[in-house]
Amino acid sequence: MNNQIALPRILIYQDEDCSIMADYLQFYGFDVITSTEEDIAQKIKECNYDLCILGHYKTNLPGDLRLLSALRKIDNKVPVIFISDQARYEYVLEAFDAGVDDYIIRPYNLEELIRRIKAILRRCGIKVRAIELTYQIGNYVFNTENNTLTIDNVEINLTNKESKTLALLCAYKDELLSRKILMQHIWTDDNYFNKRSLDVHMCNLRNYLKMDKRVVIETKRGVGYSLVINEE
């Protein structure tokens, strides 16, 4: 439990607004980095991603694959999911020949995208702990979608940040989740006030979970937290 974990890092480029996709992936426990047409080349050169998602919707020309080709010249190993409006058979084949690992045609379901990402990362040997809809935490049932924690017919409503924090702790149960990851994933800024806010949220979560003595949020001072369910 002393080894700190890292969230799977996903780079997204779309030639349209990608905020909905980014928020969805972040909610499900991925570290999301978005890029624009101006900075995508530099982001690719960083080469520290577990998976890339490239989306082209404005045109259906083969030239859309130039970015993919440029990525493959820099990194020929990182998995790539290509999303496009183009369903033409020849175009799909060209994309696979250029180095994509999966090809998704719009419109598509975001839940399906999550499952495709998890499948690719598993095949690459990358540990995936994406957020689930519900968790059993001792005698508690935690619903990540409704932000509720229930025990013995008592329902506790969590704030959005409390729910996100507890969801990450559940996804990485028994593993050390660093303060840095929590700050980046939930607050996006690790300034002094946000750090204190994290401490308050952890205190609140401990209070919510005290009805089952087996459930403990352990602290490694100055490093991070781990959700542990002790055996009776």
Side-chain angles (χ1 to χ4, degrees):
M1 192 163 50
N2 291 328
N3 295 325
Q4 295 185 54
I5 55 85
L7 304 181
R9 286 172 56 84
I10 297 179
L11 174 67
I12 299 176
Y13 169 78
Q14 292 190 152
D15 52 18
E16 292 181 358
D17 179 34
C18 64
S19 58
I20 293 177
M21 179 195 292
D23 289 346
Y24 195 84
L25 294 182
Q26 188 177 54
F27 174 81
Y28 277 93
F30 296 99
D31 183 9
V32 177
I33 301 91
T34 60
S35 59
T36 64
E37 188 174 354
E38 290 72 28
D39 68 3
I40 179 61
Q42 182 58 42
K43 290 283 181 68
I44 288 174
K45 290 178 181 178
E46 293 175 8
C47 295
N48 59 346
Y49 310 106
D50 296 305
L51 182 140
C52 293
I53 298 175
L54 303 180
H56 288 276
Y57 316 126
K58 293 181 179 178
T59 71
N60 292 325
L61 299 175
D64 294 346
L65 298 175
R66 286 180 295 182
L67 180 58
L68 173 64
S69 299
L71 185 153
R72 281 294 175 233
K73 289 179 181 178
I74 297 170
D75 189 334
N76 62 2
K77 294 182 179 179
V78 63
V80 176
I81 295 178
F82 197 83
I83 302 176
S84 175
D85 289 327
Q86 179 57 263
R88 187 164 55 87
Y89 182 68
E90 294 82 359
Y91 187 88
V92 176
L93 290 182
E94 185 178 354
F96 277 105
D97 288 342
V100 301
D101 296 271
D102 201 354
Y103 190 104
I104 299 177
I105 301 169
R106 287 207 311 176
Y108 63 92
N109 186 288
L110 283 168
E111 291 185 6
E112 178 185 349
L113 176 63
I114 290 289
R115 282 160 175 76
R116 287 175 180 266
I117 290 171
K118 291 170 68 174
I120 290 174
L121 293 179
R122 280 196 301 268
R123 289 198 296 271
C124 294
I126 298 170
K127 184 178 288 187
V128 179
R129 295 283 190 272
I131 305 301
E132 304 296 339
L133 177 61
T134 61
Y135 289 99
Q136 186 76 39
I137 312 173
N139 292 327
Y140 291 88
V141 176
F142 173 37
N143 187 302
T144 60
E145 186 175 55
N146 298 331
N147 296 347
T148 56
L149 192 60
T150 306
I151 183 171
D152 296 333
N153 296 319
V154 176
E155 185 176 275
I156 303 166
N157 293 310
L158 307 180
T159 67
N160 190 44
K161 283 186 170 60
E162 287 171 346
S163 182
K164 286 184 176 181
T165 301
L166 184 57
L168 279 176
L169 289 169
C170 289
Y172 291 89
K173 185 171 71 73
D174 296 324
E175 298 182 72
L176 184 62
L177 191 63
S178 74
R179 290 176 62 90
K180 181 178 180 181
I181 284 177
L182 286 164
M183 295 304 303
Q184 291 176 341
H185 190 75
I186 299 171
W187 277 268
T188 69
D189 186 349
D190 61 351
N191 63 49
Y192 173 82
F193 297 103
N194 286 341
K195 288 178 180 177
R196 298 287 72 80
S197 179
L198 173 59
D199 294 336
V200 171
H201 280 67
M202 285 299 177
C203 182
N204 290 342
L205 290 174
R206 287 188 173 107
N207 285 331
Y208 300 149
L209 295 167
K210 65 183 180 182
M211 294 177 67
D212 188 339
K213 300 299 183 184
R214 297 173 300 165
V215 181
V216 180
I217 298 177
E218 296 184 348
T219 302
K220 185 171 183 180
R221 191 172 183 84
V223 180
Y225 305 91
S226 180
L227 177 66
V228 176
I229 302 176
N230 296 313
E231 297 295 331
E232 292 182 318

